[in-house]
Amino acid sequence: MIKGAKGVEAIGWAAKMIRPLADGGEGAPASQITREFHVARLNGNEVLRISALGLYWAFINGRRVGEDVLTPGWTNYDARLSYQVYDVAGLLKQGANTITIWIGDGWYRSPLMWIEERRKNIWGTRVSAIAEIRGGADLADIVVCTDEQWGSGETPVRKSQIYFGEIFDATLAPETQEGVEVVDFDPRKLIAHECDPVRELRPLDPVKQWQDSEGRTLYDFGQNTAGYVRLSLAAEGPSQVLIEHAEVLDKHGQFYNGNYRSAEAIIRLHLDERGLADYSPHFTYQGFRYARVTISGSARVRRIQSVPISSVPEATASFSSGNQLVNRFFENAIWSHRSNFIDVPTDCPQRDERLGFSGDAQVFAGTACYLADSHDFLVKYVRELMVDQAPDGAISHTSPHIVRVKPGKRMQYGSTGWGDAITVIPWRLYLQYGDKDILAEALPAMLKWIDFVWSLTKDGIVRPPATPGARGFCLGDWLQPKGPSSKPLPTIGDDAAATLYLFISLGIAVRAAELVGEPEIARRLSKLRSEVETAFRNEFVTPSGRLAYDDQTSYALALLHGLVPSDKLAAATRYFRSAIMRTGGRLGTGFIGTPALLPALVKVGEGALAGEVFLQEDVPGWLYQVRMGATTVWERWDAIQADGTIYNPQMNSFNHYAFGAVCEWLLEGVAGFRPDEHAPGFESVIFSPTVVDGLSPVAAHYDSIRGRISASWTLTGDKVRYEFVVPAGARGTLRLSPDYRDAELDGAPIMVGAHPIVGPGRHVAVFKYATPAKQLVHDSPLAANMP
Ligand code: BGC
């Protein structure tokens, strides 16, 4: 796809949206629409601009146009539809030409979601496509465009759906027997694809292959991903090949994909003696590390690879340390980011969800912006959130919202932590990329969201209803481990979680309003924010400094966001520590608490404790899964038990990025570089490392919009050497913890409490760090009982 293609975005559409009359409806063979056309003279600037309701592959004279995957992508199709633009001069010839477009069900009408009555034909029952080739001066000439004149027929893709996979009959040739029908469609819904389209990454060869007792061949590609297999097959005669996918093997080493739930995730191929070269599915993708191939007939696999796909293929950050488990965890987060940034930020790529969950995206947005350039992708997502926003201001749990367009169905929307994606993500885009426009664009939606949450408050405290699905129901600290079942540990209440998030969103909206020149709004929201602050303190902070919900998430969020009054900080910090001691030094946090836990500990001067919690290797903890062989981030802390037993298949994804949000802390907290809200987009970089005993030597980088930022430190005895690089055109501020003594920067002593500012280039700070005595008892009887 070419972006900003030769100004074609400014030109109105001549083409009509047409549907193949050969289409048999949802689950039927993919159709093609086709047209022969004549080119009198080639200009060399010809472009194809194209989109579909469904997914498309386009061919000109039998050659595929572009290499993008799952185009036109996933949007709220009733409101917005992306189109792509391709240079096609090289595919055209003078004289007779043919254009053919295959159209599959895609997100448009594949069953999505797991609840039968909701999942069918979400956006429509009829697939269609719109396309035009333009050339000549200012692209004013129309070479060909979709209209009533096209023909249609079936393709060898006999069935293709997102969760299902694909059936492909290589013995059939595409055919054209029927015509097309022009569909009523408003071209104003067409928007140039706002982010990079999904692309293939370098294919992965199997690292291992073996046969099971039933003669099926299993391939291990060594990496869990989202994508598909590509394979070449030879055959002497009629044969059938079935490919199934799995993320893990069970404790007996057997293929296991019970966790895909109702997602069939298969590829079925029909072959004859011609075999099939370089096949990969057209309109689907799967989350997998293993493939199981069952052959009936004479077919033979000549080559098989796993082809990962992603909207964010290039990593823009790295983190390495002296701890290999940590290094692998960081890699796993990169893979989970890739696998779940597939035009929409999804929760997982394998089971019958793969949906744009707002809470997951909200907690991971900061990490995502480091791990790959996620700006355009997240802007697009924020726009989907805005389309889905309900009239009362509620933001949906998932966007594009698969239930909104189904009248009469219960909405899944309005949970704090999830809906706050509408404030948190634009704010992160401002911090990371200096994008003020998205703040201005999203501000009205932020205000509506705040109004919605405010409508659930009484005296400044949000009181979410307890019934799932009720208006404003709160998902709380989703997947928070609760300790031994004999004596569950207290967890944050929905009222505290929701009030905390209201406070966070109000803070962001105040800043956004100030920045986009809306001082009145800022003042009004600031007042509300103070009301919420006072209410929170009255309701949830006891006179002794203990929080009403005495759990890690409550302390982490309240301390990180400044909701504990200064005279109670020391006591609250002690209670926070106790909440960690009670879990034997393990985390006790879910989706919303986990990203806050370690930054909060560092903020209250407990950096060493943060390091210990992070580095402990048991459940629940980040490194346990790496010990268990994870190559992507797990949804649950306890997805596989130490003896290999796999958790209940009902909700057990091995590729969910939410808990990978700790990578933001590894970069900002440990390596210690972060954006400065007063000079966003890394015009000013704050350097503030946290020395963690057991991680030395640490090295990290991030390719910011201003250039590469890097930081590294080594701990030798009690001496730390911290080296950092400020990119050209930026400045750096070194803010060392007051616990670090005898500090020098570039050879000159730093006064206690000073925050020296430096220019671009490499700088070296040295200081002393006293390794604290170990604080935690990992083998407490309680810890032994943790899930
Ligand atoms: C998804 C989550 C999501 C949650 C909230 C789950 O099924 O996988 O990641 O945030 O539902 O409803």
Side-chain angles (χ1 to χ4, degrees):
M1 184 186 92
I2 41 178
K3 267 190 158 177
K6 300 171 182 167
V8 71
E9 277 94 345
I11 304 174
W13 284 75
K16 296 174 180 159
M17 183 68 91
I18 57 173
R19 83 170 192 92
L21 290 173
D23 174 33
E26 185 252 303
S31 311
Q32 64 167 7
I33 53 171
T34 188
R35 175 96 163 100
E36 284 183 8
F37 60 100
H38 187 81
V39 175
R41 200 170 61 85
L42 270 173
N43 274 297
N45 68 339
E46 286 77 7
V47 294
L48 168 70
R49 135 165 113 145
I50 178 165
S51 186
L53 292 169
L55 296 177
Y56 74 82
W57 272 40
F59 305 86
I60 292 178
N61 298 323
R63 283 165 65 198
R64 183 159 178 227
V65 179
E67 293 175 340
D68 302 334
V69 177
L70 302 174
T71 47
W74 190 8
T75 48
N76 272 295
Y77 298 118
D78 57 314
R80 294 153 34 89
L81 178 61
S82 305
Y83 68 85
Q84 290 75 39
V85 181
Y86 297 96
D87 266 322
V88 291
L91 299 175
L92 293 168
K93 53 187 194 305
Q94 221 147 297
N97 290 266
T98 310
I99 178 166
T100 303
I101 303 167
W102 290 14
I103 315 170
D105 288 359
W107 291 287
Y108 183 72
R109 73 172 186 192
S110 288
L112 295 177
M113 216 178 167
W114 56 98
I115 300 169
E116 200 52 43
E117 36 124 4
R118 287 189 192 161
R119 49 195 307 231
K120 293 276 183 182
N121 291 319
I122 309 265
W123 279 279
T125 53
R126 295 163 163 200
V127 291
S128 49
I130 185 166
E132 57 191 33
I133 298 180
R134 285 178 171 268
D138 298 329
L139 297 175
D141 301 346
I142 293 156
V143 181
V144 66
C145 67
T146 44
D147 59 17
E148 300 78 356
Q149 307 301 316
W150 288 48
S152 76
E154 290 187 354
T155 69
V157 177
R158 308 313 290 164
K159 176 169 178 173
S160 193
Q161 295 188 323
I162 300 292
Y163 299 158
F164 171 80
E166 184 160 301
I167 301 175
F168 186 83
D169 190 340
T171 68
L172 298 178
E175 52 185 35
T176 312
Q177 285 158 349
E178 299 194 52
V180 298
E181 185 180 72
V182 172
V183 173
D184 186 22
F185 174 78
D186 181 352
R188 284 174 302 186
K189 289 180 187 166
L190 286 163
I191 40 163
H193 205 147
E194 293 149 300
C195 60
D196 286 338
V198 181
R199 297 220 167 101
E200 293 184 353
L201 278 79
R202 198 163 50 80
L204 307 170
D205 288 315
V207 293
K208 203 174 152 195
Q209 76 178 68
W210 68 99
Q211 293 220 315
D212 69 8
S213 54
E214 291 173 45
R216 299 172 291 202
T217 309
L218 281 101
Y219 296 91
D220 175 2
F221 298 100
Q223 177 61 55
N224 200 24
T225 62
Y228 36 71
V229 288
R230 172 160 301 135
L231 72 175
S232 291
L233 295 145
E236 264 88 64
S239 310
Q240 279 200 29
V241 179
L242 171 70
I243 299 142
E244 298 159 282
H245 303 81
E247 293 184 289
V248 291
L249 302 176
D250 72 9
K251 66 176 176 186
H252 308 294
Q254 301 296 318
F255 181 87
Y256 171 89
N257 67 5
N259 62 326
Y260 287 35
R261 305 194 308 211
S262 72
E264 297 90 339
I266 58 160
I267 306 292
R268 200 180 282 283
L269 303 171
H270 299 274
L271 310 175
D272 58 20
E273 69 290 347
R274 289 171 295 177
L276 186 57
D278 288 332
Y279 166 85
S280 48
H282 301 76
F283 304 120
T284 185
Y285 73 99
Q286 312 301 331
F288 70 105
R289 166 174 169 172
Y290 301 91
R292 179 167 71 183
V293 179
T294 311
I295 295 181
S296 53
S298 58
R300 213 162 16 89
V301 174
R302 279 189 197 291
R303 182 171 201 198
I304 184 166
Q305 291 179 307
S306 156
V307 184
I309 61 168
S310 180
S311 297
V312 288
E314 306 291 336
T316 51
S318 67
F319 180 91
S320 71
S321 71
N323 183 315
Q324 295 314 316
L325 296 178
V326 173
N327 302 348
R328 180 67 228 199
F329 184 87
F330 194 87
E331 284 300 309
N332 292 0
I334 291 179
W335 277 106
S336 283
H337 181 210
R338 284 179 181 149
S339 319
N340 283 300
F341 268 38
I342 301 229
D343 216 50
V344 161
T346 59
D347 56 336
C348 57
Q350 75 299 90
R351 67 177 177 228
D352 49 1
E353 293 201 50
R354 315 186 193 180
L355 302 174
F357 274 99
S358 46
D360 307 40
Q362 184 267 116
V363 296
F364 192 71
T367 300
C369 289
Y370 281 110
L371 298 188
D373 179 357
S374 301
H375 174 268
D376 296 356
F377 184 94
L378 288 174
V379 165
K380 170 176 178 286
Y381 182 62
V382 168
R383 292 181 178 149
E384 301 306 339
L385 291 173
M386 294 196 287
V387 170
D388 285 322
Q389 188 165 32
D392 67 356
I395 295 286
S396 52
H397 295 356
T398 64
S399 243
H401 194 353
I402 46 198
V403 184
R404 175 179 57 80
V405 283
K406 290 271 182 191
K409 299 291 178 209
R410 194 180 67 192
M411 300 289 279
Q412 293 232 334
Y413 72 171
S415 170
T416 48
W418 274 247
D420 298 284
I422 196 61
T423 56
V424 173
I425 297 178
W427 182 245
R428 177 43 81 164
L429 293 172
Y430 173 70
L431 287 181
Q432 198 90 7
Y433 305 105
D435 183 357
K436 215 194 264 188
D437 294 347
I438 191 66
L439 291 182
E441 191 176 337
L443 183 63
M446 294 184 191
L447 300 179
K448 276 165 72 184
W449 166 246
I450 286 167
D451 282 349
F452 168 79
V453 182
W454 192 256
S455 75
L456 305 169
T457 57
K458 192 162 179 291
D459 303 327
I461 300 295
V462 189
R463 313 260 176 211
T467 327
R471 182 177 181 276
F473 172 73
C474 176
L475 292 160
D477 194 17
W478 188 253
L479 291 185
Q480 183 175 29
K482 298 195 184 61
S485 51
S486 54
K487 191 172 185 302
L489 296 167
T491 60
I492 190 166
D494 291 347
D495 50 0
T499 307
L500 269 159
Y501 256 98
L502 173 59
F503 182 75
I504 294 170
S505 274
L506 277 165
I508 292 173
V510 169
R511 290 290 293 123
E514 284 166 355
L515 284 160
V516 305
E518 294 285 2
E520 258 324 299
I521 296 178
R523 255 192 299 279
R524 180 175 70 82
L525 296 180
S526 206
K527 215 173 129 271
L528 288 188
R529 185 168 178 268
S530 306
E531 277 176 45
V532 173
E533 180 179 47
T534 310
F536 184 92
R537 288 175 173 176
N538 287 342
E539 185 90 11
F540 300 118
V541 186
T542 67
S544 73
R546 189 197 281 247
L547 295 190
Y549 298 106
D550 193 17
D551 71 305
Q552 295 180 19
T553 292
S554 298
Y555 287 106
L557 286 169
L559 287 164
L560 190 64
H561 295 282
L563 273 166
V564 176
S566 49
D567 62 323
K568 301 206 166 60
L569 267 183
T573 301
R574 278 197 303 278
Y575 285 120
F576 188 13
R577 287 176 53 90
S578 323
I580 293 172
M581 298 301 166
R582 283 199 298 281
T583 58
R586 302 171 195 200
L587 55 81
T589 48
F591 270 32
I592 62 168
T594 303
L597 182 66
L598 306 181
L601 283 168
V602 172
K603 183 178 176 193
V604 297
E606 296 285 351
L609 183 55
E612 282 188 60
V613 172
F614 178 62
L615 287 176
Q616 74 80 21
E617 296 175 13
D618 292 320
V619 179
W622 291 272
L623 303 187
Y624 168 78
Q625 51 188 269
V626 186
R627 259 201 314 125
M628 297 300 287
T631 59
T632 39
V633 180
W634 292 355
E635 175 179 27
R636 318 183 65 90
W637 300 115
D638 53 354
I640 303 182
Q641 287 171 23
D643 69 356
T645 306
I646 297 174
Y647 185 86
N648 181 340
Q650 277 324 305
M651 226 184 61
N652 198 17
S653 148
F654 294 92
N655 201 352
H656 239 72
Y657 52 50
F659 291 145
V662 73
C663 292
E664 185 180 329
W665 178 74
L666 286 174
L667 297 171
E668 293 194 344
V670 178
F673 49 76
R674 61 172 197 264
D676 176 351
E677 74 161 279
H678 303 293
F682 292 95
E683 185 186 333
S684 154
V685 189
I686 296 171
F687 291 92
S688 185
T690 305
V691 177
V692 172
D693 198 15
L695 275 185
S696 176
V698 161
H701 90 269
Y702 167 54
D703 290 322
S704 76
I705 54 166
R706 280 171 206 273
R708 178 160 292 198
I709 298 168
S710 54
S712 59
W713 54 258
T714 39
L715 173 65
T716 318
D718 65 349
K719 289 198 185 56
V720 180
R721 182 186 158 87
Y722 182 53
E723 227 176 285
F724 57 98
V725 175
V726 180
R731 61 182 185 276
T733 305
L734 182 64
R735 285 197 201 158
L736 289 179
S737 154
D739 298 342
Y740 303 159
R741 290 165 296 109
D742 303 337
E744 288 179 9
L745 173 62
D746 295 330
I750 306 176
M751 309 270 286
V752 178
H755 297 148
I757 295 176
V758 292
R762 183 171 297 275
H763 301 276
V764 178
V766 290
F767 53 87
K768 284 194 179 145
Y769 167 82
T771 309
K774 281 263 178 287
Q775 310 189 33
L776 300 170
V777 188
H778 288 308
D779 54 356
S780 77
L782 185 58
N785 284 329
M786 292 297 284

